[in-house]
Every structure is written in C-alpha cells, then in structure tokens.
Amino acid sequence: MARSPLPPVPSPLIEVEVGGDARRGEPLAVLLRKDGESPHADLAEELRATGKAGEVLLVPGTGGPRWLVGVGDGEPAQYRSAGAAFVRAANSFAEAEADAGRRAPSGVAVRLPEDVAAEHYAAFTTGVLLGGYRYRVTAEEPKPSVAAVRLVAEDGTPAEAGDAVARARELAAASALARDLANTPSNVKNPAWLADVAERVAAQTRGLTATIRDEAWLASQSFGGVLAVGGGSASPPRLIELSYRPRGATAHLLLVGKGITFDTGGISLKPAAGMHLMRTDMSGGGAVIAAMRAIAALKLKVRVTALVPAAENHVSGSAYRPGDIVRHYGGRTTEVGNTDAEGRMVLADALVYGVRRFSPDAVVDVATLTGAMKVALGLRTGGLFATDDDLADRVRSAGERVGEQWWRMPLVEDHAEDVRSEIADVKQSAPGPGGITAALFLREFTGGLPWAHLDIAGPARAEKTYDEVVPGGTGFAARTLVELAASYADA
C-alpha cells in the first residue's frame, strides 16, 4: 500500500526531559542572559554574543558548548523565544551534518542558568516543541531533525521543573494539534474528517468522550444555521460534541468553536486572492478540540463540554442566499445579509444548544470571525468580548501565563439595535463596526450566561516565523483555553 503523503495527526513532538549532565558526544547548548553572567562569559565575549532573546551562535570547534543561546533579561516569554530559535538552529545543524555525510545528532542537551524557576523550564520547553513544528504534504523523506532535548539538571534545578516541563508538553501538544487541524488541506479535511479525528482523539484520551451528530440529526433538531451554511456543499455538516466529566468537579465550562472546514464565502463569494487560506477557517474549532485533549490529559478537576459545528460554505444551487430567513435551534430567526458571515450562523445554533442542553456556568466561543479584528488588533493579538468581568479577566490572565495575548473589546450597547431585523428576530450582517456587531449578534444566543467571545481571525494564521510561531496555522487560543479551564479547577 502506498504511503500517504499527509503528515500524521497529531504530529509527533520532540521529546523534552529534565535529566543529568550532557552525555558524551551529545551537542550542548548554553543559555546566556544579557547581564553576561555565565561560566562561558569569555567565550561569549569572543563571539560577541549579546544575550538578546533568540540569538543563537554556533561555536566553532568541539572543545566546549556547540551553541550559545540568548535569553534576554530572563523573562519567561524570552525563554520561549530562545527555545524556538534554538531548536530551529539545532535542526539546521542536523541537516547540514547529514548533507556533509556526517552523523546528524538526534539528541541535544541544554544547560539553563542555575537560578531560574520552573516556569523558565516550561517556557523554554514550549519554545522547543512549537518552534520546531513542521507541516508539509510531500512524498519526500523528512529532513534530519533533533528528536530529543535534555534540559541539564544542575544542583539548583527546581524540584518542580520536571512537572512544569511535562505540563508544558501537554499545552504545546494542544497548540500543535490545533495547527495540524488548521493546516490539513480541505480536499481531505471536510466536516466528516474533522469529526473522525475528534472521535479518534477522544478514544485515545482517557476521560474524554465524543458524540458525532450527522446531518439527519441536525435536521431533526432544527439546527437551521448549520444546515443553511452546509447546504451548498457535497460534504454534509456535522456537530462534534466532546465531554470531559471528572469526579468531584463543581464548575462546568462550555467551549464552542467555529468549524468551517473551507469557506468560499458562498454566494457572497470571496475574492480569489487569499481564498486558499480558508482551509484554516476552522481554527477556532481546532483549538477547542485540541484544548479538550489537553484538559483531559492533565486531569483537570473541572467539567468541560465542547461543541464544534462543522460545515463547508460552498457555492451551488442548494447554497443559502442573501435575504433568506433562517430558523436556528431554539426557534430564533436570522435575516441573512451576507453568506460570507457564516461563522456566526453555525455558532448561534451551537450556543443555544449548549446552553439549554448542558446548563454550564460559563460559555466561551472561539472563531476566526471577522476581518475587522485583524484591522483593529493586527495578526498577533486575539479580540476578547465578554459579558462578565471575571470571565474576561480569567481569559486574559490565562493568555498571559501561556504566551497568548488578548485585548478586551467593548460590547457597545449603542450598536445592539443594529443587530435587530425588521423581518426576523436578528440581522446576521449588521452595519457598523464589524467585530462588535458580530459579537452582539452572538450574545443574542447565550441565554444571559457569563460569556466570552474570542475572535482569532488575526492570530490564527501566520505568514512568517516569529517566536514559537511558524507559517501556517498557529494553534492560537488552544493553550489559553486549557489554562482557562485550569483556573476553574483551581478555584
């Protein structure tokens, strides 16, 4: 049988462990701070190393460390950048060694400064795991790369460093899985494929269960938004439901992720330029699926339910139209103004279903929803809308701890009437500031519960490498969702 050119999902990650001293013949990297304090200060001066975060210098010869890696002022974020820059340099070194006919190292050792905390070990690990991420659909054999990184344990290594590294691995695995799902091409990734992957991930994760609803069930339950958006495609929609219910959990969090596996814009057709990137329009749903896997793997003591309405938005004789009136789950009606505003249509169904079916304590939805948020916040910051200050603070703090930046946006009540329709209950494509009116539309379906809407249209994709991010799907929001769930488990 021919080998599939598609990479495996989830992608295998580098092994990172906290261990003893560097082994014989194992290349060693030494981390340097900008203050210059290091056992290798003379070597750093000779190579003119500045210690700037992410600076990686290859040391000539073999009499000492192979690399000097800058960690800046020593903030965790700078350790994350350093880990990413280092693993990319180590992989380039492995490729060069193989090209020269020499044996490429499969493992490397890293010596951290003596006085760093467990969070620095975790941040460096996150950088290593995600900075070395690769997704390429090819029949070629993969290039040589580093398979294992050992963080050398000194006498001052924090006792909790090993646990911190293990937890960082689960968080990074969430980002990597979300990247896998976003990067998979849409000739493979239709709603059924996404549902199958979610089901397989659940089967492989203790404590996590999956229920997949097909188009017949969606029709019987009147999921009008999902059926309208998916009606133009030969690949029917799905509703992915994931559940994690640990014993003793008192809080219950509902996560809802947009799962549009490809978006042409429908009859309100998108421009051709850039449409190929719409394979990542399910990044919110991918982040939710990946976060659920990590939440269960970490055995967090909080109940979490996740819903991912998955559909393709295509153009055909059965596609929904501008001017249509769609009846959602629960009965509320929407006047369609633009078929390219499809994300809010599928989220509306899932939000009402989740609120009524599960009665959670709080609701968070995640979506690549509006181009307006890319204009407002750029490509590295997610938009955060919330009806509850405590929930907003939890999301923002969770993002800070894991290295994902959120900016709270206003739910401007002056625009609430813009969402009202003269011929239906609500208007899907309202005039005014697009990110705000989209959030106000979704608020109509949240049942008055504490709710946060995360618009990741900007940071869900990257066109260039920075920090631990590589081009393609970024997995943005997955780590935040895991850390958010942990905040309820710790309460």
Side-chain angles (χ1 to χ4, degrees):
M1 181 180 295
R3 181 171 63 87
S4 171
L6 285 175
V9 176
S11 292
L13 293 178
I14 295 171
E15 292 294 330
V16 180
E17 64 174 356
V18 179
D21 207 347
R23 300 187 179 106
R24 184 176 180 180
E26 187 177 49
L28 173 67
V30 174
L31 305 191
L32 299 175
R33 286 190 292 241
K34 285 177 69 176
D35 59 22
E37 292 183 9
S38 167
H40 299 278
D42 291 342
L43 179 59
E45 184 178 356
E46 180 183 342
L47 295 176
R48 297 182 180 179
T50 67
K52 179 182 177 182
E55 177 187 68
V56 182
L57 298 178
L58 183 65
V59 179
T62 57
R66 174 63 65 182
W67 298 274
L68 298 182
V69 182
V71 293
D73 295 325
E75 295 296 322
Q78 294 175 315
Y79 271 76
R80 191 169 58 251
S81 297
F86 163 66
V87 77
R88 288 192 279 264
N91 285 338
S92 295
F93 177 76
E95 289 180 28
E97 290 293 282
D99 290 343
R102 295 185 290 270
R103 183 178 179 180
S106 61
V108 296
V110 179
R111 179 171 287 118
L112 279 71
E114 294 183 5
D115 57 348
V116 298
E119 64 178 336
H120 296 90
Y121 280 79
F124 190 82
T125 297
T126 301
V128 165
L129 293 172
L130 294 178
Y133 175 91
R134 295 175 176 177
Y135 187 96
R136 190 159 182 261
V137 181
T138 177
E140 297 178 1
E141 291 297 320
K143 295 180 179 180
S145 61
V146 171
V149 173
R150 212 153 42 81
L151 307 181
V152 174
E154 304 283 0
D155 291 340
T157 300
E160 62 271 24
D163 291 340
V165 166
R167 190 175 190 278
R169 178 179 174 80
E170 293 297 343
L171 287 165
S175 294
L177 174 56
R179 291 179 181 184
D180 291 339
L181 297 175
N183 288 330
T184 298
S186 294
N187 58 318
V188 173
K189 180 181 58 189
N190 59 21
W193 181 91
L194 187 63
D196 287 345
V197 171
E199 195 168 29
R200 175 164 53 84
V201 165
Q204 296 170 350
T205 307
R206 186 174 182 179
L208 187 61
T209 60
T211 304
I212 308 301
R213 314 291 191 179
D214 64 13
E215 68 274 23
W217 184 91
L218 291 168
S220 71
Q221 298 295 314
S222 300
F223 274 64
V226 177
L227 293 168
V229 173
S233 173
S235 299
R238 295 286 186 271
L239 178 67
I240 301 165
E241 181 181 318
L242 297 172
S243 179
Y244 172 66
R245 302 184 64 173
R247 290 183 180 179
T250 56
H252 183 189
L253 183 63
L254 174 66
L255 305 178
V256 181
K258 173 185 170 183
I260 301 300
T261 55
F262 193 79
D263 181 21
T264 66
I267 288 177
S268 306
L269 192 66
K270 290 180 180 293
M275 193 190 290
H276 64 287
L277 297 174
M278 289 301 101
R279 63 177 174 268
T280 68
D281 207 26
M282 39 55 64
S283 292
V288 165
I289 292 169
M292 289 297 288
R293 177 176 180 260
I295 288 166
L298 290 170
K299 301 178 181 178
L300 300 182
K301 198 173 182 180
V302 55
R303 180 183 174 189
V304 188
T305 302
L307 299 172
V308 178
E312 287 185 339
N313 189 22
H314 276 291
V315 185
S316 75
S318 58
Y320 79 130
R321 298 158 290 260
D324 284 1
I325 304 294
V326 172
R327 187 177 297 276
H328 294 280
Y329 179 90
R332 190 178 292 260
T333 57
T334 291
E335 175 191 358
V336 177
N338 183 338
T339 64
D340 193 24
E342 83 298 329
R344 67 200 73 178
M345 298 293 291
V346 302
L347 290 173
D349 281 347
L351 284 167
V352 176
Y353 173 74
V355 167
R356 295 189 178 186
R357 172 73 175 80
F358 302 107
S359 301
D361 298 306
V363 183
V364 179
D365 75 72
V366 193
T368 49
L369 205 66
T370 65
M373 294 311 299
K374 295 173 67 175
V375 175
L377 298 178
L379 303 181
R380 301 190 186 186
T381 302
L384 162 62
F385 298 83
T387 57
D388 181 85
D389 290 342
D390 176 67
L391 178 56
D393 289 342
R394 284 176 183 267
V395 172
R396 191 164 46 199
S397 296
E400 288 176 359
R401 290 193 294 273
V402 298
E404 293 181 335
Q405 183 171 318
W406 300 94
W407 187 266
R408 189 172 183 183
M409 301 292 291
L411 286 165
V412 183
E413 292 300 329
D414 289 346
H415 291 288
E417 283 301 313
D418 294 339
V419 179
R420 304 278 180 259
S421 169
E422 294 182 359
I423 59 173
D425 292 318
V426 287
K427 184 184 301 181
Q428 169 230 34
S429 184
I436 293 173
T437 55
L440 289 168
F441 173 88
L442 291 176
R443 189 180 66 173
E444 296 288 320
F445 299 89
T446 59
L449 291 179
W451 160 74
H453 161 57
L454 309 183
D455 192 332
I456 60 171
R461 292 186 296 271
E463 296 181 0
K464 62 181 181 180
T465 297
Y466 63 91
D467 298 333
E468 77 275 16
V469 174
V470 297
T474 65
F476 191 89
R479 301 201 303 274
T480 294
L481 293 177
V482 179
E483 192 69 14
L484 174 65
S487 76
Y488 283 93
D490 296 338

